[in-house]
């Protein structure tokens, strides 16, 4: 964004944010928003009110591992995005996908490979107030502004939060409309990124009381994140003699992002007992360029040859009704979310990798079939056009007895339905029509599929005070899931193939249209080039259907994965003194199984996480300090493992069990009225308990060294697969004791803030530090054979995620209703390695690094009115 564009954006946003204030300036100028709306926080952190157990409680009285970032902390640390607050949570790690967004993990429950559009459901949930904002493709990155607090609940939360909270839950709690008066605020930020561009954001909030029982709240934001990765000039030369360049796409600061959005909330007190909260949030994010840089090219540099962009937008409407029937609290929470994600990604690395893999056949040009309608050879470069459409509808009804009763309970029912339409179009410029997918000229490969995930549950927790200081809690969630998938995946079919004309498609492959269901495929085993007439496409835009179940009447039904189960929880807490509580928890979380988008690969089963935890919450030094922590031991059973298989198509399999042990703690200390010190940290030891066997297409490996290959049934996976043969190889891709990827062993975050008074001014300074140790980027640490016959070590070739330490500084002052701040983020210009990836399953020649923003210097100005 150039300076003129940034200035225009800031001025326009400022007018939008402050216009209501200009109308009522004289009436409300001095009024300031309460700092404790919906939280009851103080700087010592003792009186923080949370709703982690679906009832209001003081933080220090909740017998679960929970960390809270309150409204003041969020403002002080200038937190506005997922990556900002995740860095502050000791048990949370995350992985940035170049095309899908962020995947969040708790306590080392990560196998890698998540975040892909074809992956399993997330193992950790993210909620906005009462409603989940976690889609099949991962959580929404909701802009953080005017939030009351963020609650981070580590460990299985399946009893109260369900399948998407197998390992933990993050809850974003907004400030609610307030009847007390008209007030608002706005905040402006402008910054300069070292070796990058200029960024800035404008945020505003307005609280409007409509009557003594009705109030509304409006929040808006616009955020331009400066780019800092350069697409530099380069060429790629192929064995055929063809050389391509990226002259048309060379650009500095290639990866800028623009975000704008808003929230509106309406609160209606129907009477003294019943309240209705209705809300809507919408956000639009447009990203450009590459999210990672290529270290082989240079620091913060890539050489990409085709246009790249992302457009992620969502809207969610929510309704929460709370009231009383007698002494019981009744809550209904429902929401509907719609998310669309469009991407364009350069896939030139794929052409480069396969040119070398088939060097003995003359490279890509000699092994595959890339030509135009005139028969002339063309470049094999591909551009991936993606379009994902997610919807999510959820309903929960629960009842809670009075929290002061010796015997009390929370119980409810839950139902949700998620859909995912996926379109992945691998385009080759000029590809001949006969070599393309039918109906899609220039398309080498097409994925056009529809997925529906359904969940339902009955849940509850009962607590009993054995003595005034000793409480036992038992809970459980009985759940069912029903997931389905139908559609098309694969290459095209030449119209002349039946007459013996070759090739069949640009890849000369037999998957895709050559295996579509026809009038003659019922009961056949994995048919190739089946006779008969192709059945109509089940998903609009497909040439036919090759992923589904053919019925006797000729219709096609989706493949289904169904199941049920029970997640239990048992907790014992002891209030040893008014300032010390200790507790023990045994709990279990789950994640549903599902269907592989590659039809020749079987379904994957649910995985389960069993947690044993001992924790404490202590208030010390006359409650000027609180010290909370937990020690845990977890077993992750048959964990779901996703990776890029043959043709770089995502496969999900169940791996071995894993053992995860660790400790987490946080401390907050206010030694004087002017000084605040806070710190948190975690140690995580997560390793496999058994060998992880490698997978190779339709291969079922035996880790003893004998690989048995089967041809699976194409339209009826319940039939016994046909044996093809065996091969003596070492097919252990990760031996017993291998560390799980992504999560560092050590993670730390801390800050020191000092403020004082100078007349009407209240200056302050702040130092914040985040640090973590190294981690593996891939679970597969052994040399394995890929679908192309190549032998690779994925972890070594992708590279290790190096450890890092970041330092942020801030110096500012407050006066009247204003705040001004000068800040430096990433003082030492550290290159955090947030994740590593390659463009395809065989593209290990170019691993990319997703990094943090380089050193950023900025100014913030805000006002409350």
């Amino acid at each position: 964004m150039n300076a003129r564009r940034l200035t225009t954006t800031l001025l326009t946003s400022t007018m939008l944010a402050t216009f209501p204030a200009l109308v009522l300036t004289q009436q409300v100028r001095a009024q300031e928003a309460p700092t404790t709306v919906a939280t009851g926080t103080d700087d010592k952190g003792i009186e923080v009110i949370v709703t982690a157990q679906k009832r209001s409680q003081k933080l220090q009285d909740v017998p679960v591992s929970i960390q809270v970032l309150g409204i003041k902390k969020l403002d002080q640390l200038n937190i506005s995005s997922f990556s900002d607050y995740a860095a502050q949570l000791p048990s949370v790690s995350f992985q940035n996908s170049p095309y899908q967004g962020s995947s969040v993990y708790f306590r080392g429950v990560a196998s890698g490979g998540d975040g892909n559009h074809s992956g399993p459901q997330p193992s950790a949930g993210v909620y906005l107030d009462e409603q989940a904002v976690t889609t099949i493709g991962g959580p929404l990155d909701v802009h953080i502004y005017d939030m009351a607090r963020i609650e981070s609940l580590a460990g299985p939360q399946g009893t109260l939060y369900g399948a998407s909270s197998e390992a933990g839950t993050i809850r974003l709690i907004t400030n609610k409309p307030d009847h007390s008066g008209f007030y608002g605020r706005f905040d402006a930020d402008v910054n300069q990124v070292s070796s990058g561009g200029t960024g800035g954001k404008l945020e505003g909030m307005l609280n409007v009381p409509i009557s003594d029982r009705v109030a509304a709240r409006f929040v808006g934001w616009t955020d331009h994140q400066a780019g800092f990765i350069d697409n530099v000039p380069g060429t790629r030369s192929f064995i055929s003699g063809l050389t391509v360049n990226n002259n048309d796409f060379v650009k500095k600061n290639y990866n800028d992002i623009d975000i704008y959005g808003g929230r509106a909330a309406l609160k209606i007190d129907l009477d003294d007992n019943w309240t209705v909260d209705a809300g809507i949030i919408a956000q639009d994010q447009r990203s450009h360029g590459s999210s990672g840089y290529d270290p082989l090219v240079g620091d913060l540099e890539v050489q990409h040859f085709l246009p790249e962009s992302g457009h992620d937008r969502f809207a969610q409407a929510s309704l929460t009704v709370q009231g009383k029937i007698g002494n019981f609290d009744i809550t209904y929470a429902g929401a509907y979310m719609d998310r669309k994600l469009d991407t364009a990604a350069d896939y030139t690395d794929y052409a480069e990798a396969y040119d070398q893999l088939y060097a003995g056949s003359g490279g890509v040009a000699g092994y595959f079939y890339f030509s135009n309608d005139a028969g002339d050879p063309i470049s094999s470069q591909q551009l991936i056009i993606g379009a994902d459409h997610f919807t999510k509808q959820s309903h929960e009804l629960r009842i809670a007895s009075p929290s002061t009763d010796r015997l009390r309970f929370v119980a409810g029912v839950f139902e949700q339905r998620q859909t995912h339409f996926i379109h992945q179009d691998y385009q080759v410029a000029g590809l001949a029509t006969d070599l393309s997918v039918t109906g899609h000229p220039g398309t080498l490969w097409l994925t056009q599929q529809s997925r529906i995930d359904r969940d339902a549950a009955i849940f509850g927790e009962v607590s009993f005070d054995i003595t005034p200081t000793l409480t036992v809690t038992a809970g459980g969630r009985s759940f069912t899931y029903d997931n389905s998938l139908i559609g098309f995946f694969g290459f095209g079919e030449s119209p002349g193939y039946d007459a013996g004309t070759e090739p069949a498609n640009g890849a000369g492959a037999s998957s895709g249209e050559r295996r579509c269901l026809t009038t003659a495929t019922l009961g056949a085993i994995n048919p190739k080039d089946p006779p008969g007439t192709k059945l109509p496409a089940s998903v609009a835009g497909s040439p036919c259907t090759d992923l589904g179940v053919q019925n006797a009447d000729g219709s096609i039904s989706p493949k289904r994965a169904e199941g049920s189960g029970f997640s239990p929880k048992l907790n014992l807490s002891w209030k040893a003194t008014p300032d010390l509580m200790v507790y023990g928890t045994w709990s279990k979380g789950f994640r549903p199984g599902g269907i592989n988008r590659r039809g020749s690969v079987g379904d994957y089963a649910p995985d389960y996480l069993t947690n044993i935890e001992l924790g404490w919450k202590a208030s010390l030094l006359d409650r000027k300090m609180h010290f909370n922590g937990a020690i845990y031991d977890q077993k992750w059973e048959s964990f779901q493992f996703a990776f890029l298989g043959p043709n770089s198509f995502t496969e999900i399999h169940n791996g071995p069990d894993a053992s995860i042990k660790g400790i987490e703690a946080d401390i907050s200390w206010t030694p004087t009225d002017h000084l605040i010190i806070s710190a948190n940290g975690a140690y995580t030891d997560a390793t496999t308990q058994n060998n992880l066997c490698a997978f190779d297409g339709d291969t079922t490996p035996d880790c003893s060294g004998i690989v048995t290959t089967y041809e699976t049934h194409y339209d009826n996976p319940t039939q016994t697969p046909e044996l093809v043969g065996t091969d003596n190889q070492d097919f252990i891709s990760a031996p017993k004791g291998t560390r799980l990827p992504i999560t560092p062993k050590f993670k730390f975050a801390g800050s020191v803030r000092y403020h004082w008074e100078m007349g009407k001014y209240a200056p302050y300074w702040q130092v914040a530090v985040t640090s973590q140790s190294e981690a593996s980027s891939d679970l597969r640490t052994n040399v394995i054979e890929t679908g192309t016959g190549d032998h690779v070590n994925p972890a070594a070739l992708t590279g290790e995620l190096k450890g890092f330490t970041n330092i942020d500084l801030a110096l500012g002052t407050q006066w009247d209703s204003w705040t001004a701040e000068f800040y430096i983020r990433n003082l030492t210009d550290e290159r955090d390695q947030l994740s590593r990836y390659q463009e395809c399953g065989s593209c290990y020649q170019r691993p990319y690094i997703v990094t943090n923003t380089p050193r950023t210097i900025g100014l913030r100005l805000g006002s409350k009115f």
Side-chain angles (χ1 to χ4, degrees), residues 549-565:
V549 178
Q550 186 175 355
N551 303 314
D553 62 0
S555 62
I556 304 174
S557 299
K559 294 187 68 175
R560 306 186 82 92
E562 302 173 89
S564 62

Side-chain angles (χ1 to χ4, degrees), residues 62 213 346 636:
V62 181
R213 289 190 178 273
D346 179 25
W636 193 13

Side-chain angles (χ1 to χ4, degrees), residues 25 100 166 170 195 204 209 234 236 239 393 395 438 452 588 592 615 622 654 656 697 762 788 791 797:
T25 299
Q100 193 75 20
E166 177 186 36
I170 294 174
S195 303
R236 295 288 183 269
I239 294 172
Q393 182 178 205
H395 304 276
T438 301
I452 300 176
K588 194 169 186 178
D622 294 327
N654 289 93
T788 62
H791 289 76
L797 292 175

Side-chain angles (χ1 to χ4, degrees), residues 77 88 766-770 806-810 824-827:
L77 295 175
Q88 303 295 322
Q766 177 177 276
V767 179
V769 178
T770 57
N806 278 327
I807 302 173
D808 298 339
L809 303 179
I824 304 176
R825 304 188 76 167
N826 191 6
L827 176 67

